Amino acid sequence: MATVIKENIGLLHEKLIVKLEKTDYLPSFEKALKEYSKKANIPGFRKGMVPAGLIKKMYGSSLFTDEVLKTVDRELVGYLQNDKLEIFAQPLPLESDFKQLDVNNPADYSFEFEVGMKPDFTLPDLAKVKTTRYVVTVTDEMISNEIDRLQNRYGNMKDLDTVNSEDDVLNVIFTEADENGNETEGGIKKDNSLLVKYFKEDFRSNLLGKVTNDYVIVQLDKAFDDSSTGSGELDFILSDLGLDKNEPTASRKHFKIQITKIGLLEKRDLNEEFFTQLYPSQGAGSNQEVKTEADFRNKIKEEIQNHWNGQATNQIHDQVFHQLVDHSEIKFPEGFLKKWIKTQNETDKAAEPKTDEEVEKEFPTFISQLKWTLISDKILQDNAIVVNPDEIRAFAKQQLFSYMGGANLGEDQPWVTDYVEKMMKDRKYVEDAYNRIQTQKIFEWAATQVKPADKDISAEEFTKMSEAHQHLHH
């Protein structure tokens, strides 16, 4: 009768010894021989009439090995399930001498495997950890800037004959040239649209009075400010032209900039027609009605505040992540996991086996990701957090509406339903959506456990803090 013995060989690192007796595998081997003889198609013999002795001679060795290994696998899986062992990955076979398998001399066999055990651990009490909810102060300047942006976005373009002011919009063609304006053969040529005020202040006078088809010859760094001295428009221009801003010679290139069209953006007036366009009424007495400039400013303030509240929530999620990862003490079977990492290239015949040095280099990142996976799994199991198909459908629908500019296009329209059902058949999409929703639910649960203290902060301070944090993690 088959037995499985467990021996400890390290921290959370066990050896499993599967011992087989002949009676554990011989009946299935003999059955396999008979079934094969019925199906074998060998010249000189009618199908199903091939002598068992010949089948054993020709195919016995491989069939014997298959049946022994199937028996080992069955016993191993049964043991793991019955004893409810929580292991990482799959059992790794230790060095085994498969030459011991002899179809002509069946015997009792032993096979050894090593497994890495998943650790037990306790999550930190999130209610006791110090967290902060940053409340961004929405200023009148922020509201006015957003209103100005909306007025420009929904404004009307008026054609002009001459460049008259810094607010004029120029449609231009950038053509790479020398300092005399001679076009560079095979050089860069690119359309663009930009305001006069995007040019350096001391350069703008060169554009005033120009008409359609007029041009100027510029050296890029003489015409546009870089981020260290001004607006940083130079970086955008270099990027649009396909040039590397870190290449010193890029900003010193000369271009002929020819004006193809001149316009002036007339900002939308702040009136009820504009307010209604942005915020259509949802019926008499609706809270969505915006009729006056004061209503409009309040609505914009509400939207800006909601944006920063969302950013603050993301920041709380980040604090929670670090609390969970930094303060959950989890031990790992490092010896087993390093061996397992080395085996991952073995399925790819073209890939070189990973060296010990490569494994050591990858290991810290691997352990960090594995730690978060264990923490996530524990939160999901302990709190019965699940993702159902309807939530994935809702996610797909929400994505569709965001692609369409955020408009609610009517959830019950047939084409919307068809799109969602099509995405539900895309396995990769469903897996990605499932993981994203699941992660969001984990953080939403965690956010209910913490008791953050509110702290007022300016938008600039919040942005600098977030950028510094991102830089630290890269």
Side-chain angles (χ1 to χ4, degrees):
M1 181 178 176
T3 58
V4 180
I5 301 170
K6 183 172 70 171
E7 294 180 1
N8 181 259
I9 53 177
L11 175 66
L12 298 169
H13 197 171
E14 306 287 340
K15 178 165 70 174
L16 301 180
I17 305 168
V18 182
K19 294 188 174 184
L20 299 184
E21 295 179 357
K22 290 187 289 185
T23 53
D24 294 316
Y25 63 83
L26 275 179
S28 59
F29 167 62
E30 290 166 354
K31 182 180 178 182
L33 274 178
K34 289 179 182 178
E35 290 179 351
Y36 203 88
S37 66
K38 293 177 183 178
K39 300 175 183 177
N41 190 4
I42 299 177
F45 295 92
R46 282 187 295 169
K47 190 172 182 180
M49 301 299 291
V50 182
L54 181 58
I55 291 293
K56 184 174 181 180
K57 184 177 181 180
M58 295 178 68
Y59 305 107
S61 182
S62 61
L63 289 174
F64 185 77
T65 300
D66 286 347
E67 291 306 320
V68 171
L69 296 183
K70 283 180 184 177
T71 306
V72 172
D73 186 61
R74 183 172 63 249
E75 294 298 327
L76 189 60
V77 171
Y79 176 80
L80 294 172
Q81 291 176 344
N82 291 335
D83 282 47
K84 295 182 172 56
L85 295 187
E86 293 287 333
I87 66 170
F88 288 112
Q90 297 295 324
L92 293 179
L94 289 166
E95 293 297 328
S96 297
D97 185 7
F98 285 98
K99 292 178 182 177
Q100 67 177 315
L101 302 181
D102 185 352
V103 66
N104 296 311
N105 296 290
D108 297 343
Y109 299 120
S110 291
F111 293 88
E112 298 180 348
F113 299 84
E114 57 183 322
V115 293
M117 306 296 295
K118 289 186 177 180
D120 288 326
F121 63 96
T122 303
L123 295 175
D125 185 350
L126 293 177
K128 295 181 179 178
V129 303
K130 183 179 179 181
T131 51
T132 304
R133 178 188 289 108
Y134 293 97
V135 182
V136 171
T137 304
V138 178
T139 65
D140 287 340
E141 182 182 6
M142 292 163 68
I143 297 169
S144 297
N145 288 341
E146 177 61 12
I147 289 175
D148 190 60
R149 186 188 70 80
L150 290 169
Q151 284 180 283
N152 285 324
R153 178 182 174 186
Y154 290 91
N156 298 311
M157 188 65 70
K158 175 184 177 182
D159 289 341
L160 299 176
D161 296 324
T162 308
V163 180
N164 298 314
S165 76
E166 294 182 348
D167 293 319
D168 289 352
V169 179
L170 307 181
N171 288 2
V172 299
I173 300 174
F174 278 78
T175 304
E176 191 173 356
D178 62 20
E179 59 185 4
N180 298 314
N182 300 309
E183 293 186 16
T184 303
E185 186 176 351
I188 299 168
K189 195 163 190 173
K190 188 77 167 56
D191 292 336
N192 207 328
S193 179
L194 61 168
L195 294 169
V196 172
K197 63 184 176 184
Y198 289 172
F199 289 83
K200 278 189 174 183
E201 188 173 357
D202 60 4
F203 184 85
R204 296 169 196 167
S205 60
N206 296 307
L207 297 167
L208 297 178
K210 297 291 185 184
V211 299
T212 302
N213 293 324
D214 281 351
Y215 63 86
V216 290
I217 309 299
V218 304
Q219 188 171 352
L220 294 179
D221 60 356
K222 298 290 194 299
F224 301 98
D225 284 321
D226 63 26
S227 54
S228 64
T229 58
S231 64
E233 192 64 34
L234 177 61
D235 293 346
F236 293 106
I237 295 295
L238 290 171
S239 176
D240 190 64
L241 294 172
L243 296 170
D244 183 357
K245 68 178 182 180
N246 297 314
E247 171 56 47
T249 60
S251 62
R252 295 199 292 270
K253 283 182 175 289
H254 287 80
F255 279 83
K256 175 182 176 182
I257 302 179
Q258 185 174 22
I259 300 170
T260 59
K261 190 174 182 179
I262 306 167
L264 177 65
L265 184 65
E266 295 183 322
K267 295 166 64 172
R268 285 291 294 272
D269 292 330
L270 297 178
N271 53 32
E272 190 173 344
E273 178 187 2
F274 182 39
F275 305 151
T276 303
Q277 180 183 351
L278 291 174
Y279 306 105
S281 173
Q282 296 181 357
S286 167
N287 291 332
Q288 293 296 319
E289 290 186 347
V290 178
K291 292 184 173 295
T292 66
E293 186 173 340
D295 293 339
F296 186 48
R297 290 188 70 85
N298 286 335
K299 186 66 178 175
I300 294 299
K301 181 177 182 179
E302 177 187 328
E303 292 184 344
I304 295 173
Q305 191 70 68
N306 287 340
H307 165 77
W308 287 109
N309 288 348
Q311 296 299 307
T313 297
N314 291 339
Q315 219 285 326
I316 290 177
H317 291 175
D318 185 72
Q319 294 176 56
V320 166
F321 171 81
H322 285 289
Q323 288 291 340
L324 290 170
V325 171
D326 296 344
H327 300 285
S328 295
E329 293 187 11
I330 305 179
K331 298 185 182 299
F332 291 94
E334 295 191 2
F336 170 83
L337 291 172
K338 288 177 181 179
K339 274 190 176 182
W340 181 82
I341 291 173
K342 289 190 75 170
T343 67
Q344 296 312 289
N345 270 11
E346 292 180 359
T347 55
D348 185 354
K349 295 180 180 179
E352 290 289 329
K354 289 186 178 180
T355 64
D356 291 338
E357 291 75 14
E358 289 173 325
V359 171
E360 290 296 332
K361 185 177 180 180
E362 293 177 13
F363 198 67
T365 300
F366 172 80
I367 283 293
S368 178
Q369 293 171 341
L370 185 58
K371 187 175 186 180
W372 175 245
T373 298
L374 290 179
I375 291 170
S376 299
D377 288 346
K378 184 172 180 61
I379 292 172
L380 292 169
Q381 292 172 14
D382 291 353
N383 298 280
I385 296 173
V386 296
V387 177
N388 61 56
D390 285 342
E391 289 175 306
I392 298 176
R393 288 186 174 89
F395 177 83
K397 196 176 294 183
Q398 183 183 38
Q399 269 198 333
L400 173 62
F401 291 155
S402 69
Y403 295 153
M404 304 297 284
N408 190 328
L409 305 174
E411 297 189 10
D412 297 328
Q413 294 187 51
W415 71 273
V416 174
T417 303
D418 290 345
Y419 169 83
V420 171
E421 292 307 316
K422 178 183 177 183
M423 299 312 294
M424 291 297 289
K425 294 176 183 176
D426 184 332
R427 180 177 175 181
K428 187 176 183 304
Y429 177 84
V430 170
E431 288 179 354
D432 178 65
Y434 181 94
N435 290 332
R436 291 172 67 175
I437 296 169
Q438 188 180 73
T439 299
Q440 183 64 25
K441 285 192 168 192
I442 288 171
F443 282 115
E444 287 173 355
W445 168 84
T448 66
Q449 307 303 302
V450 296
K451 298 176 181 177
D454 286 354
K455 179 179 180 180
D456 292 335
I457 191 173
S458 70
E460 291 76 15
E461 289 173 323
F462 185 91
T463 301
K464 285 180 181 178
M465 178 185 69
S466 299
E467 289 176 347
H469 182 72
Q470 290 175 358
H471 179 73
L472 182 66
H473 283 267
H474 285 85

